[in-house]
Amino acid sequence: MKSLELEKSKAMIIVEIIEYVPDSVVIKTILKKSTGNINAVSIDTGEKLEEKTSPFDTFIQIIDGKAKIVIDGKSKLLETGQSIIIPAHARHSFKANDRFKMISTVIKSGYEENTV
């Protein structure tokens, strides 16, 4: 069975692990565990990821281009090298006015410690 994850213990240039595909959104799994996952995402010009919510915080890092991110109705423009944390349960979406690549990291553990 072929693994969905990238090869471990092998150096990589993160921006090169995923390609742009015309008129497409591409998602490549870097690491997937029951406690969270890391994905590389490329979004071509004019494409978008529809609004959704996640029960976990999501760390986003732009590794190429510029991304328009809307979090709970507030628009943010992030450029290469910039990052943001999307809070758990926040409505969010992505739009590519210009194509961009990002790393999305979700950690699913630790929330049980934050209960009031």
Side-chain angles (χ1 to χ4, degrees):
M1 177 183 202
K2 187 176 178 182
S3 172
L4 297 175
E5 297 177 6
L6 294 180
E7 185 178 340
K8 296 178 183 175
S9 300
K10 181 179 179 184
M12 65 187 92
I13 298 172
I14 200 71
V15 76
E16 294 178 359
I17 66 170
I18 192 163
E19 298 297 324
Y20 290 109
V21 175
D23 304 317
S24 298
V25 174
V26 179
I27 300 172
K28 185 169 187 173
T29 301
I30 296 173
L31 192 62
K32 184 174 181 91
K33 303 293 178 196
S34 61
T35 53
N37 56 65
I38 303 171
N39 292 309
V41 182
S42 71
I43 303 180
D44 195 31
T45 304
E47 297 299 311
K48 60 186 173 180
L49 290 175
E50 296 295 334
E51 184 175 86
K52 69 174 192 170
T53 61
S54 170
F56 310 106
D57 292 338
T58 303
F59 177 76
I60 300 295
Q61 181 180 18
I62 305 305
I63 58 172
D64 186 52
K66 296 179 185 176
K68 179 182 177 185
I69 301 174
V70 178
I71 302 172
D72 282 336
K74 296 179 183 172
S75 183
K76 314 221 182 265
L77 182 64
L78 297 181
E79 298 181 7
T80 301
Q82 292 184 306
S83 303
I84 196 164
I85 297 172
I86 301 170
H89 308 289
R91 294 179 343 269
H92 61 278
S93 62
F94 297 85
K95 179 152 178 32
N97 293 327
D98 298 304
R99 66 186 192 172
F100 70 92
K101 295 179 183 180
M102 68 180 180
I103 300 297
S104 172
T105 304
V106 177
I107 299 174
K108 298 177 182 178
S109 63
Y111 288 85
E112 60 281 350
E113 299 167 7
N114 295 329
T115 57
V116 177

